[in-house]
C-alpha cells in the first residue's frame, strides 16, 4: 500500500518515531523537574540548563563523530544550521 509515494512500512516507522519523540520529550521535562525539586533548584533554572543541554546532545554527538572522522565541515555546518534553526524558531514564535 502506497501513501504519498511511500510504502506503509516507512509511514509506520515515521509515526512510531514521532510518538517516541513526544513520549521522550515528556519524560525529559518531567525528569528535569524532579531533578530540580530534589536538588532544591528552582524549576525556572532547569530550562536553560538541564533541558537545554539534553536538546543539544544530538548536535554534540554529530560534531564529535565528524571531528573524529576528520570532517570538520560537517561539524561546522551542524553548529551553524542548528543556530539558524533555533533563532528562526524563536523569532517566529515571538513575532506571533
Amino acid at each position: 500500500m502506497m501513501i504519498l509515494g511511500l510504502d506503509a512500512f516507512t509511514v509506520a516507522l515515521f509515526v512510531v518515531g514521532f510518538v517516541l519523540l513526544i513520549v521522550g520529550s515528556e519524560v525529559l521535562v518531567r525528569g528535569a523537574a524532579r531533578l530540580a525539586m530534589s536538588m532544591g533548584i528552582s524549576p525556572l533554572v532547569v530550562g536553560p540548563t538541564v533541558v537545554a543541554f539534553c536538546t543539544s546532545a544530538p548536535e554534540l554527538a554529530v560534531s564529535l563523530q565528524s571531528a573524529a572522522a576528520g570532517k570538520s565541515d560537517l561539524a561546522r555546518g551542524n553548529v551553524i544550521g542548528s543556530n539558524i534553526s533555533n533563532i528562526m524558531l524563536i523569532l517566529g514564535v515571538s513575532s506571533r
Side-chain angles (χ1 to χ4, degrees):
M1 179 171 146
M2 298 289 281
I3 301 172
L4 297 173
L6 300 171
D7 62 352
F9 182 70
T10 303
V11 173
L13 283 178
F14 177 78
V15 170
V16 168
F18 192 69
V19 168
L20 288 174
L21 178 68
I22 292 170
V23 170
S25 63
E26 184 68 26
V27 169
L28 170 69
V29 171
R30 288 181 189 263
R34 268 191 245 120
L35 176 68
M37 291 178 135
S38 69
M39 296 180 73
I41 300 171
S42 167
L44 187 62
V45 175
V46 174
T49 54
V50 175
V51 174
F53 177 75
C54 291
T55 57
S56 298
E59 285 122 7
L60 177 64
V62 169
S63 295
L64 289 175
Q65 286 179 347
S66 63
K71 298 181 180 180
S72 62
D73 290 342
L74 181 60
R76 193 174 309 116
N78 186 26
V79 169
I80 292 170
S82 174
N83 284 321
I84 289 172
S85 174
N86 289 336
I87 290 169
M88 292 301 144
L89 285 169
I90 296 300
L91 286 174
V93 168
S94 63
S95 68
R96 186 179 153 121

